[in-house]
Amino acid sequence: MGCTAQDVIAALRAGAAVVAEHRDELIQLDRAIGDADHGENMDRGFRAVVSKVDTAAPETPGAALKLTATVLISTVGGASGPLYGTAFLRAAAAVGDAEELDGAAVAKALQAGMEGVIGRGRAAVGDKTMVDALSPAVEAAKSAAESGEGAAAVLAAAADAAHQGVQATEPLVARKGRASYLGERSAGHIDPGARSTALLLSAFAEATRSRS
Ligand SMILES: [Mg+2]
């Protein structure tokens, strides 16, 4: 029921696959309210993560998460590289050198990741950013972990809540990031960063479920 380094690596591969599959969708979403680079950036970043993970073969979940952070910071442009990088870095720090992550450790890692994003991006819930996907995801993860759920179920709860958070960004007027330059015109579009966050969580959940 715990997540080993191999499970985390499998989740990262699944994340890369889902980002590649949704690359054009993310480009279109970012074209509507940003600069149309989110799909390409995320695809390039996660391809690089998979290739680095293959060569470095990290031996703990924390090492895999830290490697992901480093690669994303150096390969993903725009705001999302540093934000995703910080999220993975904080998640890595939260899990330390544990060999295996149970549901509670996964929830803790998600919370630490979100706090890193909030600290770095200074965004709050309702600003129409990835925080709108992360915040409900963290709440759902925490309550699943408190009910004793394992890593896969905690991730599944987080992913479901994140997708609802994504839908909730549609009517919002952006208050952070490039989309905020559009003011009222940013309303009526879902946030690309929130969407990629939810897609990644779904991929992580599905990969973890299929291995548990
Ligand atoms: Mg962009």
Side-chain angles (χ1 to χ4, degrees):
M1 82 167 227
C3 248
T4 63
Q6 285 313 308
D7 296 328
V8 173
I9 291 168
L12 290 167
R13 281 187 209 289
V18 88
V19 164
E21 191 186 325
H22 291 267
R23 179 180 176 278
D24 292 342
E25 179 200 334
L26 293 172
I27 289 172
Q28 295 308 325
L29 291 175
D30 195 25
R31 176 165 295 140
I33 58 169
D35 56 359
D37 66 350
H38 192 56
E40 249 174 81
N41 279 338
M42 292 295 285
D43 187 31
R44 180 174 58 248
F46 273 86
R47 275 176 206 279
V49 165
V50 166
S51 121
K52 270 280 157 48
V53 153
D54 281 341
T55 52
E59 287 177 356
T60 61
L65 295 170
K66 191 173 175 187
L67 184 64
T68 302
T70 311
V71 174
L72 292 179
I73 289 168
S74 62
T75 58
V76 180
S80 36
L83 289 169
Y84 270 110
T86 301
F88 279 96
L89 201 58
R90 296 294 183 81
V95 305
D97 54 10
E99 296 282 329
E100 232 176 274
L101 311 181
D102 60 10
V106 169
K108 203 175 126 196
L110 285 172
Q111 174 153 21
M114 177 188 72
E115 287 168 357
V117 169
I118 289 173
R120 176 122 203 167
R122 310 242 162 262
V125 170
D127 285 349
K128 197 177 181 103
T129 71
M130 58 197 286
V131 173
D132 290 315
L134 277 171
S135 175
V138 166
E139 288 312 310
K142 278 160 66 177
S143 70
E146 276 158 22
S147 332
E149 298 286 2
V154 165
L155 282 167
D160 284 351
H163 283 288
Q164 289 174 36
V166 172
Q167 294 313 314
T169 66
E170 187 168 350
L172 296 175
V173 173
R175 288 194 294 248
K176 287 284 169 185
R178 196 176 284 267
S180 66
Y181 307 161
L182 294 176
E184 301 287 331
R185 281 181 295 137
S186 63
H189 305 278
I190 68 170
D191 180 67
R195 176 66 173 151
S196 61
T197 297
L199 287 170
L200 284 169
L201 286 171
S202 288
F204 296 166
E206 182 55 31
T208 305
R209 187 193 63 77
S210 72
R211 292 171 62 89
S212 58

